[in-house]
Amino acid sequence: MLVFKAVPLSFAILWRYLLVFPFVLMALALYGLVGGLLGALLGFISPPLYVLVIFFFGVSSGLIPLMVGSRLGLQSKHVAPRSGYGKIVVPSLIYGVVEALSIGFVAALAFGASFVFTAFDITGLPSESQEFFNALDARHISVFGMAILATFLAICALRAALLVPIAAASVGVDPDGRPYTPFFNFGAFFWPLFMIVAISYIGMTVLFAASFLGIGALTATGVMTEQIAQIEQMIDGTAPFGLTPTLIGFVTLFVVLACWGFCFQCAGGVLGFMQLSDSPKSTIAPSEPITQHSVQPATSSGGRLTSEELRALRKSRQSSRMS
């Protein structure tokens, strides 16, 4: 099953991704800087252009790490990329805009319907969070919970439908060996990939919660109390910031957990890509280079001519030329 096969592949992608993770961070920082400068320049012309540029750069930067992970996964399957890393920016922009607009529309529709259904007056609510939640009754909580669930399902569904096209865009080639086509194989292996995306998001949430509970348990038992208190002081600003072994360990733990979550999604897209490339409809296996086969001259299947027959044939050709 695709879901179970994606687990070992996710770890194969993870260790490769952790090796290039610092370079990905630097590239995203430079990409964000370019977007901010471009947005600021265009903002002098028209303020809405600033918002538009920041939106485009923001949504595309969220898809670039997924593109990199999918590319690493396909390379681990011996699929040679046909385009450089610079070619993943435009597909990241396209798919990022589609995801942002679609999920925003579903969320607005779900929560708008919740406010209408419950006759919820948001203007009369207190500003403090504790009083805000105390003002909600069971009916409000259940309806808003359904809106959150609908938004989460929409996020998982759209990401699952895009995983195979994202994998193809990461290497610049479709599963059938043709050059990359936007949205080609959209929705392929939808249900297995939907499960993978949902598991990745839920799994990351559970693992993050378990990590925080583990840190709290260590503090309660007196283990690393001073180190954790020092980190809390740095967060509050009461102590100067510094890289301590404990802080580096915690940051590394959370980075690994976050990276595994989308590496699991990348693994699903890679496996879907590979299954499509191995299908009978695929004319060229993407793991094999395209070679030009020379046409071999046809050979006669008849027997060899004798020396007398060859001399007679030669004489007949010469006589025909002279005539």
Side-chain angles (χ1 to χ4, degrees):
M1 189 176 179
L2 197 67
V3 178
F4 297 111
K5 291 180 180 179
V7 175
L9 181 57
S10 68
F11 291 105
I13 298 174
L14 177 62
W15 72 263
R16 290 175 171 86
Y17 196 87
L18 292 176
L19 293 178
V20 302
F21 183 73
F23 303 101
V24 175
L25 281 183
M26 289 188 291
L28 287 176
L30 181 60
Y31 185 69
L33 179 62
V34 172
L37 292 176
L38 182 61
L41 291 174
L42 294 176
F44 288 110
I45 302 173
S46 174
L49 286 178
Y50 172 78
V51 178
L52 197 63
V53 169
I54 296 300
F55 170 75
F56 283 153
F57 273 82
V59 296
S60 59
S61 63
L63 266 292
I64 288 175
L66 195 68
M67 289 276 186
V68 175
S70 300
R71 187 185 180 100
L72 294 173
L74 287 171
Q75 287 179 316
S76 71
K77 292 292 186 179
H78 309 291
V79 177
R82 299 188 187 176
S83 59
Y85 275 100
K87 295 294 182 68
I88 69 176
V89 174
V90 174
S92 299
L93 175 63
I94 294 173
Y95 295 138
V97 169
V98 170
E99 276 197 343
L101 294 180
S102 301
I103 294 169
F105 174 76
V106 172
L109 190 64
F111 283 96
S114 301
F115 286 125
V116 172
F117 182 75
T118 58
F120 195 69
D121 184 13
I122 193 171
T123 59
L125 289 175
S127 58
E128 295 185 5
S129 59
Q130 186 62 40
E131 296 180 359
F132 176 88
F133 287 107
N134 291 336
L136 301 177
D137 57 23
R139 186 167 67 97
H140 291 144
I141 294 174
S142 61
V143 173
F144 291 139
M146 292 178 63
I148 295 172
L149 178 60
T151 305
F152 173 73
L153 294 177
I155 293 172
C156 294
L158 189 57
R159 176 59 60 85
L162 287 173
L163 279 181
V164 175
I166 286 173
S170 69
V171 290
V173 60
D174 287 334
D176 59 3
R178 295 180 298 178
Y180 160 70
T181 306
F183 296 100
F184 186 60
N185 292 312
F186 177 84
F189 304 100
F190 175 78
W191 289 112
L193 294 181
F194 178 85
M195 293 178 61
I196 287 174
V197 175
I199 291 171
S200 69
Y201 286 136
I202 296 173
M204 278 192 293
T205 304
V206 172
L207 290 174
F208 275 122
S211 300
F212 282 113
L213 290 176
I215 294 172
L218 290 175
T219 306
T221 56
V223 181
M224 295 194 304
T225 304
E226 296 181 0
Q227 294 88 337
I228 296 175
Q230 184 180 3
I231 294 173
E232 291 177 350
Q233 291 173 359
M234 286 190 290
I235 295 174
D236 296 337
T238 56
F241 179 80
L243 292 177
T244 63
T246 305
L247 178 61
I248 294 174
F250 287 159
V251 171
T252 302
L253 173 63
F254 293 135
V255 167
V256 171
L257 293 179
C259 287
W260 173 82
F262 73 81
C263 283
F264 190 41
Q265 296 183 19
C266 295
V270 168
L271 290 175
F273 181 100
M274 296 304 298
Q275 288 195 25
L276 288 173
S277 67
D278 294 335
S279 65
K281 295 182 180 180
S282 177
T283 57
I284 300 172
S287 56
E288 299 177 358
I290 304 174
T291 57
Q292 298 292 338
H293 300 283
S294 58
V295 179
Q296 300 295 331
T299 58
S300 176
S301 59
R304 288 187 174 182
L305 298 175
T306 62
S307 58
E308 292 81 3
E309 291 173 337
L310 287 174
R311 282 194 295 268
L313 181 61
R314 191 179 300 115
K315 289 180 180 180
S316 65
R317 288 180 177 176
Q318 290 175 355
S319 62
S320 63
R321 290 176 182 174
M322 292 176 63
S323 61

